[in-house]
Amino acid sequence: ETGVTQTPRHLVMGMTNKKSLKCEQHLGHNAMYWYKQSAKKPLELMFVYSLEERVENNSVPSRFSPECPNSSHLFLHLHTLQPEDSALYLCASSQAIGGAGGTQYFGPGTRLTVL
Amino acid sequence: QKEVEQDPGPLSVPEGAIVSLNCTYSNSAFQYFMWYRQYSRKGPELLMYTYSSGNKEDGRFTAQVDKSSKYISLFIRDSQPSDSATYLCAMRGQGGSEKLVFGKGTKLTVNP
């Protein structure tokens, strides 16, 4: 595997379910990100981790819970979601946060549908 | 005024045409400028990266940044059907806490 991988690629869940999205980066980067991409809206930054420490929580509802056990893995735990949470969830990584090393590389995304 | 403005299109051109995509922005602190290409049902792929003002060329692609006008462009020469995708501009400031701010993306179709 190379680059940034995400699983599952597609997920359908009910509003009472609990599920998790997984992201893994094989680039040796130190920072990882979760984004939400909805139709006709710019990418929305959700969370930023640097060296496994959360450095940004962009006013995201508590029904989204991130976890970063090490610099290569990032999870997004989902519970009691709403239909408006249906979107493409993208993971990204970068060498560092900010400066020349802050260029982000994205995974393929998880297409989430909440029924 | 939004931080980054990008015409969503859609833009449809014949194969071989020169394509011009652009974004305007309001934050004069932006220093790093990127263009991402996103195919349908895929994640964004970094296409071009520019620091501060100037031009950068990579094959058929040229990125231009005009900081005085707060305007960035991506030119695609000899466009191909495989260039059909959504193109996202993104930019951020110098500091470590600076978020990457994206445009909405322009959907491009190159017709054979």
Side-chain angles (χ1 to χ4, degrees), chain A residues 9 35 37 40-43 45 56 58 88 90 97-100 102-108 111, chain B residues 32 34 36 38 41-46 49 88 92-100 102-104:
Chain A
R9 295 294 309 278
Y35 285 88
Q37 187 175 36
K40 303 197 186 301
K41 293 174 70 174
L43 268 75
L45 179 65
E56 179 128 7
N58 210 31
L88 182 67
L90 291 161
I97 292 180
T103 302
Q104 294 176 28
Y105 296 85
F106 285 82
R111 175 69 60 184
Chain B
Y32 295 91
M34 283 137 276
Y36 287 86
Q38 187 173 21
R41 302 185 181 282
K42 303 279 188 180
E45 167 196 10
L46 181 66
Y49 163 79
L88 305 166
R92 62 180 171 84
Q94 178 77 24
S97 62
E98 296 290 331
K99 289 190 294 189
L100 191 58
F102 285 84
K104 288 186 179 181

Side-chain angles (χ1 to χ4, degrees), chain A residues 3-114:
Chain A
V4 181
T5 58
Q6 290 186 244
T7 54
R9 295 294 309 278
H10 302 273
L11 178 62
V12 179
M13 58 188 288
M15 288 192 285
T16 57
N17 291 158
K18 286 185 182 182
K19 295 286 184 184
S20 295
L21 310 184
K22 179 183 175 182
C23 175
E24 184 173 0
Q25 58 95 1
H26 309 267
L27 299 169
H29 288 168
N30 293 313
M32 297 187 77
Y33 310 76
W34 279 116
Y35 285 88
K36 176 183 179 183
Q37 187 175 36
S38 305
K40 303 197 186 301
K41 293 174 70 174
L43 268 75
E44 300 172 54
L45 179 65
M46 300 175 73
F47 300 104
V48 182
Y49 277 82
S50 177
L51 296 170
E52 300 112 65
E53 181 178 335
R54 192 190 309 181
V55 297
E56 179 128 7
N57 176 351
N58 210 31
S59 301
V60 178
S62 59
R63 57 186 184 269
F64 296 92
S65 174
E67 177 190 0
C68 187
N70 55 62
S71 60
S72 298
H73 293 86
L74 185 65
F75 294 89
L76 188 63
H77 304 299
L78 316 171
H79 63 97
T80 59
L81 294 192
Q82 305 298 311
E84 59 265 29
D85 297 321
S86 299
L88 182 67
Y89 287 85
L90 291 161
C91 174
S93 72
S94 62
Q95 180 66 37
I97 292 180
T103 302
Q104 294 176 28
Y105 296 85
F106 285 82
T110 295
R111 175 69 60 184
L112 173 68
T113 303
V114 181

Side-chain angles (χ1 to χ4, degrees), chain B residues 49-108:
Chain B
Y49 163 79
T50 310
Y51 174 71
S52 193
S53 282
N55 294 0
K56 186 172 185 178
E57 188 173 321
D58 184 2
R60 296 184 295 110
F61 298 89
T62 299
Q64 288 185 351
V65 175
D66 182 349
K67 290 189 68 182
S68 62
S69 302
K70 298 190 180 68
Y71 187 89
I72 70 170
S73 301
L74 177 71
F75 297 96
I76 307 174
R77 290 182 299 281
D78 186 26
S79 56
Q80 304 294 308
S82 58
D83 296 328
S84 299
T86 296
Y87 290 80
L88 305 166
C89 64
M91 51 199 78
R92 62 180 171 84
Q94 178 77 24
S97 62
E98 296 290 331
K99 289 190 294 189
L100 191 58
V101 182
F102 285 84
K104 288 186 179 181
T106 300
K107 185 170 183 177
L108 170 68

Side-chain angles (χ1 to χ4, degrees), chain B residues 1-3 5 12 30 34 40 42 48 52 61 93-94:
Chain B
Q1 182 185 10
K2 293 190 175 70
E3 265 196 305
E5 300 269 9
S12 182
F30 287 149
M34 283 137 276
S40 181
K42 303 279 188 180
M48 298 287 282
S52 193
F61 298 89
Q94 178 77 24

